[in-house]
Amino acid sequence: MNDTILHLPQGITVALCPIEPAENRRLAERAAVARLCRLLLGPDVVIRHKPDGSPFVEGCSGHISVSHSRRTALLALSPHYIIGADIEELSRAAHVRRVGGRVMSAAELETYDDSDNDLLRAWTLKEALYKVAGEPGIDWRSGLVLPPGKDSGAARAGKRRCRIVHSAPLGDEWLSVVIAG
């Protein structure tokens, strides 16, 4: 994968790039995210973290979300909305199937357990909703609520009503983006 920029509805921009193989994976992930920040926001951008751990760009009034799979780094930028984004490799479906009951309600499991793609969609949406909620320790089964139907765009992250902006495969990964509002 080369550096990729997606322009989504609601003025949202998502930038993705490969994570270079390295002995220290965390440093490689940070380097990839820094590269994406420079790509979208300029050479002097500085990312900081709020007390809840969520990232923000110093001096920028917009909102960001950062994610990565084992191979891809992601930076999502919204000029107006609190945003959450997640990316996961399609090959991780077996792992999601094993741990799904810890993060999804019984109704969500029933709705989203039809296929590996459905499970990955649910997983990445839950991760994105967690980022929008901004509530460390929130119960993922009851506090992060997926749409009752696969075609619905409405969800909830804690006290925030959310909209799904994008949730679809991207090559051999699944990408989900949600916003508050």
Side-chain angles (χ1 to χ4, degrees):
M1 167 195 272
N2 296 322
D3 292 359
T4 303
I5 297 178
L6 305 174
H7 298 284
L8 302 178
Q10 308 295 331
I12 293 167
T13 303
V14 176
L16 304 112
C17 74
I19 297 172
E20 299 299 327
E23 192 171 308
N24 186 323
R25 187 175 143 202
R26 292 286 178 213
L27 288 178
E29 290 166 357
R30 286 189 199 118
V33 169
R35 183 166 115 202
L36 293 173
C37 284
R38 289 189 301 276
L39 178 67
L40 287 185
L41 300 165
D44 300 323
V45 68
V46 176
I47 292 183
R48 302 274 188 229
H49 291 86
K50 298 175 187 173
D52 69 5
S54 61
F56 69 95
V57 176
E58 197 170 85
C60 176
S61 61
H63 302 274
I64 66 167
S65 183
V66 174
S67 183
H68 54 78
S69 66
R70 285 183 266 188
R71 296 185 327 250
T72 305
L74 172 154
L75 175 70
L77 173 66
S78 172
H80 307 291
Y81 302 98
I82 296 170
I83 187 170
D86 190 56
I87 190 165
E88 188 62 69
E89 295 171 31
L90 296 176
S91 64
R92 303 256 308 146
H95 168 75
V96 173
R97 191 168 299 287
R98 281 193 306 274
V99 300
R102 291 187 225 157
V103 298
M104 288 184 263
S105 69
E108 290 170 340
L109 281 171
E110 188 174 314
T111 300
Y112 291 91
D113 196 19
D114 292 340
S115 68
D116 287 351
N117 278 355
D118 286 343
L119 273 176
L120 285 166
R121 178 175 195 248
W123 179 268
T124 57
L125 286 171
K126 285 278 187 168
E127 289 274 355
L129 288 167
Y130 177 76
K131 294 171 184 180
V132 169
E135 298 176 28
I138 192 168
D139 184 289
W140 285 51
R141 286 178 293 223
S142 63
L144 305 174
V145 181
L146 296 175
K150 294 176 200 170
D151 296 328
S152 172
R156 186 172 50 81
K159 297 174 184 140
R160 294 184 169 140
R161 294 176 64 189
C162 298
R163 286 181 280 162
I164 298 169
V165 176
H166 182 87
S167 188
L170 180 68
D172 60 354
E173 297 179 299
W174 194 278
L175 169 65
S176 289
V177 179
V178 301
I179 57 174

